[in-house]
Amino acid sequence: MAAISREEVAHLARLSRLAVTEEELDRFAGQLDVILQSVARVGEVAAEDIPPTSHSVPLTNVYREDVPTTSLTQDAALSGAPDAYEGRFRVPRILDEED
Amino acid sequence: MSDLTRLSAADLASLIAKREVSAVEVATAHLDRIAAVDDRVHAFLHVDRAGALEAAAAVDRGEITGPLAGVPIAVKDVVTTKGVPTTAASKILEGWKPPYDATIVERLKKAGMPILGKTNMDEFAMGSSTEYSAYGPTNNPWDLGRIPGGSGGGSAAALAAYEAPLAIGTDTGGSIRQPGAVTGTVGAKPTYGGTSRYGLIAFSSSLDTPGPCARTVEDTALLHAVIAGHDPRDSTSIDKPVPDVVRAAQLGKSGDLSGVKLGVVKEFSGDGSEPGVAAAFKDSLEALVKLGAEVVEVSCPHFEYALPAYYLIAPSECSSNLARFDGVRYGLRAGDDGNRSLEEVMSLTREAGFGPEVKRRIIIGTYALSSGYYDAYYGQAQKVRTLITRDFQSAFEKVDVLVSPTTPFVAFPFGSRTSDPYQMYLADLFTIPTNLYGGPAISVPCGLSEGLPVGFQIMAPTLADDRMYRVAAALESAVGTFTPPAL
């Protein structure tokens, strides 16, 4: 049985904000199925009593002194933006006009 | 003067310090070599001739001194360089000039090392062949019809083609070591947290580790010493002294490994290595035994789950990290016709800007992190990570380092593993366990199989980077270095 269907791949692509084509969906569905069936092997290890490792360095909440320093200028921060307006990032419409 | 591009970084630094050759001459020789051969190799995505010559001139004026002052370097295109294009080999960042330097780039500049340019790679460092670069693959100088490894194939090929004496790579699942292995060069992945991630375009933050690439073990160690060390701008940077890797490499050169215990991982033997790779590895082990080392077989029963765990953890982290490419703050924006919504423009931008492997991994990561699947996939992979760490820890109670081939096969022809993505993933079979554990590992050339280089991997305990350099330098002294045919 397939681990993942074409419909699920389409749903995940939407969640990931990827406007994939029909041709990509056909190709990815098969490839992702092979990959997911292979990686599902992690489930073979019974590990109820094993704590998860998110990270190899045992650190949490690293603090530093709160010392003000110079940061990027507004121009530098906007220098790579596809569109900027009056010192701000300009974005496409966020709300539907009917809303 | 002999051809400057053939010299080691250590020799170049010494000649420059003694003013027998100028840093500008050294930089020019490498820039000319790039101009002569890179149309065939395609190691570079961007060459910064003016910037490199300016940095070299500053060394010649005596403004900067140091162990590698004036020695030029190539930097993988996933590392930000202020004002110099940085794309991570993706169309989504085409033409982007970062407004800041990565910490390791700052350190290269402070050390007086001219940056020749940015090297090709698999897009966002996802891949093992550079075939996933949006700008076309890099060709292996040993055989231009074969892959140079990946993701850091450009950095490794630049070394093998004598376009640069040193290079920077990043290693998330083997992206420094596997390209080193298949190009006959040296590549080291430092202990996670030993080198700063600040200014790396993030792929999998709990695994990404920048590191040094070179043609000799000593050069690799010299570069390691320049870039390593605590950085307050990286919250996972380790605030401890850097192991003395340069001294360890020099010690190893003497060729004495008395009392050193090498662990051969039982679960790796007979598993997937090509016969020529297995033979070169066995010969190298015998060479190390002649130098006084003892070989012990150790069992790491959970290593067989490393590849599946990695291909859940890395895509999960990448699906989150790559959410930043939304067509708003930098890079590409596609489909913004004044009528489409932000969400539509984002989806069209990401569809147009990302290549197939990046899309596959984002989708897998999104799946693995989904409610209902999280425990079975991502949660379980994190538990496997604990078990692999315990395997390493118990092995290092018995041996000083673990050894294996770096990758199961030599450089393969283009196109032979792209149709089935999982076949490509197998290139990282032996390199991935170290990334999940967080320890250091190095690949050093150990022989040829059918005329193509084979890499020998040495894995050490966390923060014992010096140990692997000692063994690597000893192996190099026994087997020598390997020179590709003339281009």
Side-chain angles (χ1 to χ4, degrees), chain B residues 78 87-93 120-127 130-134 151 203 322 350 352-359:
Chain B
V78 74
T87 67
S90 180
K91 288 286 179 198
I92 212 160
L93 278 175
N120 198 15
M121 53 187 280
D122 289 290
E123 183 178 2
F124 286 106
M126 299 175 195
T130 73
E131 288 166 292
Y132 296 135
S133 167
S151 65
F203 159 21
L322 270 58
R350 290 162 62 80
F354 290 142
E357 180 63 11
V358 173
K359 288 178 192 166

Side-chain angles (χ1 to χ4, degrees), chain B residues 253-278:
Chain B
K253 239 181 174 176
S254 70
D256 179 15
L257 287 180
S258 313
V260 175
K261 283 188 183 164
L262 312 175
V264 174
V265 181
K266 193 174 100 190
E267 287 75 11
F268 278 170
S269 57
D271 183 30
S273 283
E274 285 176 353
V277 170

Side-chain angles (χ1 to χ4, degrees), chain B residues 123-455:
Chain B
E123 183 178 2
F124 286 106
M126 299 175 195
S128 306
S129 69
T130 73
E131 288 166 292
Y132 296 135
S133 167
Y135 303 98
T138 296
N139 304 315
N140 192 326
W142 286 81
D143 176 346
L144 296 175
R146 289 176 187 264
I147 62 104
S151 65
S155 283
L159 298 169
Y162 299 95
E163 295 172 289
L166 295 170
I168 292 291
T170 62
D171 195 312
T172 305
S175 285
I176 288 175
R177 291 163 284 160
Q178 182 257 0
V182 300
T183 58
T185 58
V186 183
K189 172 213 161 326
T191 294
Y192 177 85
T195 42
S196 169
R197 287 185 295 111
Y198 180 80
L200 248 59
I201 297 173
F203 159 21
S204 182
S205 304
S206 80
L207 303 166
D208 295 344
T209 312
C213 312
R215 288 189 297 263
T216 71
V217 174
E218 186 187 15
D219 283 1
T220 311
L222 286 165
L223 179 57
H224 188 130
V226 167
I227 60 172
H230 182 241
D231 176 16
R233 292 184 295 190
D234 172 0
S235 64
T236 56
S237 173
I238 297 172
D239 193 3
K240 287 191 179 144
V242 180
D244 195 345
V245 293
V246 174
R247 197 176 146 269
Q250 286 159 354
L251 182 70
K253 239 181 174 176
S254 70
D256 179 15
L257 287 180
S258 313
V260 175
K261 283 188 183 164
L262 312 175
V264 174
V265 181
K266 193 174 100 190
E267 287 75 11
F268 278 170
S269 57
D271 183 30
S273 283
E274 285 176 353
V277 170
F281 176 69
K282 191 168 158 276
D283 290 347
S284 304
L285 265 187
E286 283 166 13
L288 292 170
V289 168
K290 277 187 193 144
L291 299 178
E294 185 189 338
V295 176
V296 180
E297 189 180 74
V298 293
S299 176
C300 295
H302 300 97
F303 277 20
E304 65 171 297
Y305 298 101
L307 195 70
Y310 174 87
Y311 279 102
L312 286 164
I313 290 169
S316 295
E317 293 187 13
C318 109
S319 72
S320 167
N321 271 324
L322 270 58
R324 75 192 63 199
F325 298 102
D326 54 8
V328 172
R329 287 155 299 163
Y330 30 67
L332 182 73
R333 178 183 291 181
D336 185 10
D337 60 359
N339 292 315
R340 289 198 177 97
S341 70
L342 177 66
E343 191 179 318
E344 287 172 304
V345 171
M346 262 183 207
S347 299
L348 290 168
T349 297
R350 290 162 62 80
E351 170 63 15
F354 290 142
E357 180 63 11
V358 173
K359 288 178 192 166
R360 276 192 290 268
R361 294 206 195 183
I362 289 173
I363 292 172
I364 290 172
T366 305
Y367 178 82
L369 294 175
S370 301
S371 150
Y373 296 112
Y374 182 95
D375 288 339
Y377 288 102
Y378 185 68
Q380 191 71 13
Q382 286 191 314
K383 289 179 174 182
V384 168
R385 195 168 178 179
T386 305
L387 294 168
I388 287 165
T389 301
R390 289 181 184 173
D391 279 357
F392 270 106
Q393 287 165 342
S394 91
F396 288 133
E397 284 171 15
K398 302 179 197 96
V399 297
D400 297 301
V401 294
L402 295 176
V403 295
S404 75
T406 306
T407 181
F409 26 83
V410 294
F412 47 87
F414 287 110
S416 59
R417 287 178 187 267
T418 39
S419 59
D420 179 355
Y422 205 77
Q423 284 300 310
M424 185 77 83
Y425 295 175
L426 292 174
D428 303 330
L429 192 63
F430 302 145
T431 46
I432 277 175
T434 292
N435 295 83
L436 294 173
Y437 159 57
I442 191 168
S443 176
V444 60
C446 72
L448 299 177
S449 168
E450 293 171 25
L452 293 167
V454 176

Side-chain angles (χ1 to χ4, degrees), chain A residues 32-83:
Chain A
L32 297 181
D33 190 51
V34 171
I35 295 169
L36 283 172
Q37 304 228 21
S38 308
V39 298
R41 289 193 58 221
V42 294
E44 291 172 10
V45 187
E48 272 178 22
D49 53 340
I50 304 295
T53 297
S54 63
H55 223 268
S56 64
V57 180
L59 290 170
T60 44
N61 295 341
V62 178
Y63 298 110
R64 60 167 169 75
E65 291 303 309
D66 187 15
V67 183
T69 56
T70 54
S71 56
L72 291 181
T73 63
Q74 195 177 35
D75 280 348
L78 291 167
S79 64
D83 197 3

